[in-house]
Amino acid sequence: MDACVGQKDRPIYVDLDGTLIKSDMLWETLFLTARQSPLRLAQLPGWYLAGKARMKAELAAGINFDPALVPYREDVLRQLRAAKAQGRRIVLATGANERLAHAIADHLGLFDEVMASCDAVNLTSDRKLERITASCGEEGFDYLGNSRDDICLLEAAAEATVVAPDRTARRWQRTSGAELIVAEGNPVRAALKAMRPHQWAKNVLVFVPTALTHEFFNLGMIVEAMIAFLAFSFAASSVYILNDLVDLTADRKHKTKRNRPFASGTLKIPDGLKLAAGLLATSLVLGLLLPPAFLGVLAVYLVATTAYSMVIKRMLLIDVLTLAGLYTTRIMAGVAATDVSVSFWLLAFSLFFFLSLALVKRYTELMDFGSGAERSKTGRGYVDADLETLAQAGMASGFAAVMVLALYINSPEVLTHYQVPWLVWPLCPILLYIIVRIWVLARRNQMHDDPVVFMLQDWRSQMMIGIGGVMFLLAAYA
């Protein structure tokens, strides 16, 4: 290399994890492995004991990696493209495995050389500095980094740029006065978004058993149901985070899901894991305040929804049946929390009704991918040819739910529980309206949310639910 005469002659060394990209390739490959080859994770302890470099190599070797889907930092890319236009030499110097680093370098076409970890050497901190100084000598170099592992390199650089720094790197930047490129987005807002609190609306189902037993003024039951609601909400949020981490690749291919916190890189994967663990712990503590049966139902929900996130969501029809079961589990949680009896009619109705809504969810997702949707693109067990089948099955299941409701209204149980039983009959046309309208909107591609959340936020559905609630109360107390 020619001696460096000025800034234009100094090579630029760029860190990858957290600097060039918003994510970390070790965590990315870990969850790609969980998605593509989950059984290989059983070997993870052995890889870890063999050293971090070996672990990175094993994780990288066992996945299909698409460098186009990585969340790059546009500010850094613009700076590097400008330097490239000036003829400067740019080197990708990273602790990530060499297979991944070369794939990213080939994709971007910006780098003259790649320095990366192999299966024997973890190229971070002092090891990276030694490699760089051996290559550049006393000519000097510029460096872009983001973490405490990069501080020794930032200190040695002729010109240092700190990108979206961690706490240690930020303190160093403040004292050194080095150039700073700040992170995009608000991590607190991103964490709240990852929790999906709007999805907590689905957990109002835990109040259904209390409502059906007409215990509207039983403060103890209401408090128990509220605790169950919070426990299920926190547990659900922890699973949403896990689901997003496992689904990183599929989400980045989706036109709207690519903006989710982990897919877009606005929330770091380790931070997400800490948040999920905290939410799960809070959920379990709340569950201890309720009868032991509730914790049993919560455990079933956690196992089932985790299995759904990891495997079942890619299984044809099993996925929607599982989703319907998860909705019904929320009702069972309300039964367990308040210690009331469960009705056969309620379980039968919820199975058909929520199966219809689960089919709406899958139909809408498939519609979003458009024509030519394949399993490899959708991450599900469906292709575009299945749209009509899903729609027919969903409508039939919705009508079956109305039929179960009609049979219940005509059963002896209604005569004993309601003062004016005929006032319950309007619930049938109300339910028909809600189901058919949801499917009409889905087929128009105007259903852009979870159907249960949609019902609770849509004013027309709210009006129908309100009318049904009034008829229910009149039938019980008139």
mmCIF file with all atom_site columns, all heavy atoms in Angstrom, residues 51-62:
data_model
loop_
_atom_site.group_PDB
_atom_site.id
_atom_site.type_symbol
_atom_site.label_atom_id
_atom_site.label_alt_id
_atom_site.label_comp_id
_atom_site.label_asym_id
_atom_site.label_entity_id
_atom_site.label_seq_id
_atom_site.pdbx_PDB_ins_code
_atom_site.Cartn_x
_atom_site.Cartn_y
_atom_site.Cartn_z
_atom_site.occupancy
_atom_site.B_iso_or_equiv
_atom_site.pdbx_formal_charge
_atom_site.auth_seq_id
_atom_site.auth_comp_id
_atom_site.auth_asym_id
_atom_site.auth_atom_id
_atom_site.pdbx_PDB_model_num
ATOM 1  N N   . GLY A 1 51 ? -15.531 -22.029 21.846 1.00 0.00 ? 51 GLY A N   1
ATOM 2  C CA  . GLY A 1 51 ? -15.068 -20.669 21.586 1.00 0.00 ? 51 GLY A CA  1
ATOM 3  C C   . GLY A 1 51 ? -16.050 -19.887 20.733 1.00 0.00 ? 51 GLY A C   1
ATOM 4  O O   . GLY A 1 51 ? -16.803 -20.451 19.931 1.00 0.00 ? 51 GLY A O   1
ATOM 5  N N   . LYS A 1 52 ? -16.042 -18.579 20.918 1.00 0.00 ? 52 LYS A N   1
ATOM 6  C CA  . LYS A 1 52 ? -17.001 -17.729 20.225 1.00 0.00 ? 52 LYS A CA  1
ATOM 7  C C   . LYS A 1 52 ? -16.810 -17.767 18.715 1.00 0.00 ? 52 LYS A C   1
ATOM 8  O O   . LYS A 1 52 ? -17.771 -17.726 17.954 1.00 0.00 ? 52 LYS A O   1
ATOM 9  C CB  . LYS A 1 52 ? -16.887 -16.285 20.731 1.00 0.00 ? 52 LYS A CB  1
ATOM 10 C CG  . LYS A 1 52 ? -18.116 -15.448 20.456 1.00 0.00 ? 52 LYS A CG  1
ATOM 11 C CD  . LYS A 1 52 ? -18.084 -14.146 21.238 1.00 0.00 ? 52 LYS A CD  1
ATOM 12 C CE  . LYS A 1 52 ? -19.374 -13.354 21.028 1.00 0.00 ? 52 LYS A CE  1
ATOM 13 N NZ  . LYS A 1 52 ? -19.370 -12.096 21.802 1.00 0.00 ? 52 LYS A NZ  1
ATOM 14 N N   . ALA A 1 53 ? -15.542 -17.852 18.269 1.00 0.00 ? 53 ALA A N   1
ATOM 15 C CA  . ALA A 1 53 ? -15.283 -17.903 16.830 1.00 0.00 ? 53 ALA A CA  1
ATOM 16 C C   . ALA A 1 53 ? -15.889 -19.158 16.212 1.00 0.00 ? 53 ALA A C   1
ATOM 17 O O   . ALA A 1 53 ? -16.498 -19.117 15.139 1.00 0.00 ? 53 ALA A O   1
ATOM 18 C CB  . ALA A 1 53 ? -13.790 -17.844 16.563 1.00 0.00 ? 53 ALA A CB  1
ATOM 19 N N   . ARG A 1 54 ? -15.739 -20.281 16.898 1.00 0.00 ? 54 ARG A N   1
ATOM 20 C CA  . ARG A 1 54 ? -16.308 -21.538 16.405 1.00 0.00 ? 54 ARG A CA  1
ATOM 21 C C   . ARG A 1 54 ? -17.831 -21.471 16.392 1.00 0.00 ? 54 ARG A C   1
ATOM 22 O O   . ARG A 1 54 ? -18.482 -21.948 15.449 1.00 0.00 ? 54 ARG A O   1
ATOM 23 C CB  . ARG A 1 54 ? -15.832 -22.692 17.297 1.00 0.00 ? 54 ARG A CB  1
ATOM 24 C CG  . ARG A 1 54 ? -16.429 -24.050 16.945 1.00 0.00 ? 54 ARG A CG  1
ATOM 25 C CD  . ARG A 1 54 ? -16.007 -24.547 15.573 1.00 0.00 ? 54 ARG A CD  1
ATOM 26 N NE  . ARG A 1 54 ? -16.630 -25.810 15.259 1.00 0.00 ? 54 ARG A NE  1
ATOM 27 C CZ  . ARG A 1 54 ? -16.177 -26.990 15.683 1.00 0.00 ? 54 ARG A CZ  1
ATOM 28 N NH1 . ARG A 1 54 ? -15.063 -27.034 16.440 1.00 0.00 ? 54 ARG A NH1 1
ATOM 29 N NH2 . ARG A 1 54 ? -16.796 -28.092 15.363 1.00 0.00 ? 54 ARG A NH2 1
ATOM 30 N N   . MET A 1 55 ? -18.409 -20.883 17.439 1.00 0.00 ? 55 MET A N   1
ATOM 31 C CA  . MET A 1 55 ? -19.861 -20.763 17.488 1.00 0.00 ? 55 MET A CA  1
ATOM 32 C C   . MET A 1 55 ? -20.376 -19.916 16.326 1.00 0.00 ? 55 MET A C   1
ATOM 33 O O   . MET A 1 55 ? -21.356 -20.267 15.666 1.00 0.00 ? 55 MET A O   1
ATOM 34 C CB  . MET A 1 55 ? -20.288 -20.145 18.822 1.00 0.00 ? 55 MET A CB  1
ATOM 35 C CG  . MET A 1 55 ? -21.791 -19.980 18.975 1.00 0.00 ? 55 MET A CG  1
ATOM 36 S SD  . MET A 1 55 ? -22.283 -19.415 20.630 1.00 0.00 ? 55 MET A SD  1
ATOM 37 C CE  . MET A 1 55 ? -21.503 -17.800 20.677 1.00 0.00 ? 55 MET A CE  1
ATOM 38 N N   . LYS A 1 56 ? -19.718 -18.791 16.057 1.00 0.00 ? 56 LYS A N   1
ATOM 39 C CA  . LYS A 1 56 ? -20.122 -17.946 14.937 1.00 0.00 ? 56 LYS A CA  1
ATOM 40 C C   . LYS A 1 56 ? -20.033 -18.703 13.616 1.00 0.00 ? 56 LYS A C   1
ATOM 41 O O   . LYS A 1 56 ? -20.918 -18.591 12.752 1.00 0.00 ? 56 LYS A O   1
ATOM 42 C CB  . LYS A 1 56 ? -19.241 -16.695 14.879 1.00 0.00 ? 56 LYS A CB  1
ATOM 43 C CG  . LYS A 1 56 ? -19.457 -15.695 15.993 1.00 0.00 ? 56 LYS A CG  1
ATOM 44 C CD  . LYS A 1 56 ? -18.511 -14.514 15.848 1.00 0.00 ? 56 LYS A CD  1
ATOM 45 C CE  . LYS A 1 56 ? -18.724 -13.473 16.947 1.00 0.00 ? 56 LYS A CE  1
ATOM 46 N NZ  . LYS A 1 56 ? -17.807 -12.323 16.799 1.00 0.00 ? 56 LYS A NZ  1
ATOM 47 N N   . ALA A 1 57 ? -18.966 -19.484 13.455 1.00 0.00 ? 57 ALA A N   1
ATOM 48 C CA  . ALA A 1 57 ? -18.773 -20.228 12.213 1.00 0.00 ? 57 ALA A CA  1
ATOM 49 C C   . ALA A 1 57 ? -19.843 -21.292 12.022 1.00 0.00 ? 57 ALA A C   1
ATOM 50 O O   . ALA A 1 57 ? -20.382 -21.465 10.913 1.00 0.00 ? 57 ALA A O   1
ATOM 51 C CB  . ALA A 1 57 ? -17.385 -20.864 12.203 1.00 0.00 ? 57 ALA A CB  1
ATOM 52 N N   . GLU A 1 58 ? -20.172 -22.012 13.081 1.00 0.00 ? 58 GLU A N   1
ATOM 53 C CA  . GLU A 1 58 ? -21.184 -23.065 12.986 1.00 0.00 ? 58 GLU A CA  1
ATOM 54 C C   . GLU A 1 58 ? -22.560 -22.480 12.685 1.00 0.00 ? 58 GLU A C   1
ATOM 55 O O   . GLU A 1 58 ? -23.317 -23.023 11.875 1.00 0.00 ? 58 GLU A O   1
ATOM 56 C CB  . GLU A 1 58 ? -21.219 -23.872 14.288 1.00 0.00 ? 58 GLU A CB  1
ATOM 57 C CG  . GLU A 1 58 ? -19.985 -24.705 14.555 1.00 0.00 ? 58 GLU A CG  1
ATOM 58 C CD  . GLU A 1 58 ? -19.849 -25.889 13.607 1.00 0.00 ? 58 GLU A CD  1
ATOM 59 O OE1 . GLU A 1 58 ? -20.807 -26.179 12.864 1.00 0.00 ? 58 GLU A OE1 1
ATOM 60 O OE2 . GLU A 1 58 ? -18.784 -26.527 13.615 1.00 0.00 ? 58 GLU A OE2 1
ATOM 61 N N   . LEU A 1 59 ? -22.895 -21.378 13.338 1.00 0.00 ? 59 LEU A N   1
ATOM 62 C CA  . LEU A 1 59 ? -24.188 -20.745 13.089 1.00 0.00 ? 59 LEU A CA  1
ATOM 63 C C   . LEU A 1 59 ? -24.275 -20.223 11.656 1.00 0.00 ? 59 LEU A C   1
ATOM 64 O O   . LEU A 1 59 ? -25.304 -20.360 10.985 1.00 0.00 ? 59 LEU A O   1
ATOM 65 C CB  . LEU A 1 59 ? -24.423 -19.602 14.081 1.00 0.00 ? 59 LEU A CB  1
ATOM 66 C CG  . LEU A 1 59 ? -24.727 -20.013 15.520 1.00 0.00 ? 59 LEU A CG  1
ATOM 67 C CD1 . LEU A 1 59 ? -24.705 -18.789 16.438 1.00 0.00 ? 59 LEU A CD1 1
ATOM 68 C CD2 . LEU A 1 59 ? -26.079 -20.710 15.609 1.00 0.00 ? 59 LEU A CD2 1
ATOM 69 N N   . ALA A 1 60 ? -23.197 -19.632 11.172 1.00 0.00 ? 60 ALA A N   1
ATOM 70 C CA  . ALA A 1 60 ? -23.194 -19.081 9.813  1.00 0.00 ? 60 ALA A CA  1
ATOM 71 C C   . ALA A 1 60 ? -23.249 -20.170 8.756  1.00 0.00 ? 60 ALA A C   1
ATOM 72 O O   . ALA A 1 60 ? -23.844 -19.994 7.680  1.00 0.00 ? 60 ALA A O   1
ATOM 73 C CB  . ALA A 1 60 ? -21.951 -18.217 9.614  1.00 0.00 ? 60 ALA A CB  1
ATOM 74 N N   . ALA A 1 61 ? -22.629 -21.323 9.050  1.00 0.00 ? 61 ALA A N   1
ATOM 75 C CA  . ALA A 1 61 ? -22.549 -22.390 8.055  1.00 0.00 ? 61 ALA A CA  1
ATOM 76 C C   . ALA A 1 61 ? -23.880 -23.102 7.836  1.00 0.00 ? 61 ALA A C   1
ATOM 77 O O   . ALA A 1 61 ? -24.097 -23.697 6.780  1.00 0.00 ? 61 ALA A O   1
ATOM 78 C CB  . ALA A 1 61 ? -21.482 -23.398 8.475  1.00 0.00 ? 61 ALA A CB  1
ATOM 79 N N   . GLY A 1 62 ? -24.768 -23.043 8.811  1.00 0.00 ? 62 GLY A N   1
ATOM 80 C CA  . GLY A 1 62 ? -25.983 -23.837 8.728  1.00 0.00 ? 62 GLY A CA  1
ATOM 81 C C   . GLY A 1 62 ? -27.225 -23.098 8.297  1.00 0.00 ? 62 GLY A C   1
ATOM 82 O O   . GLY A 1 62 ? -28.345 -23.612 8.443  1.00 0.00 ? 62 GLY A O   1
#
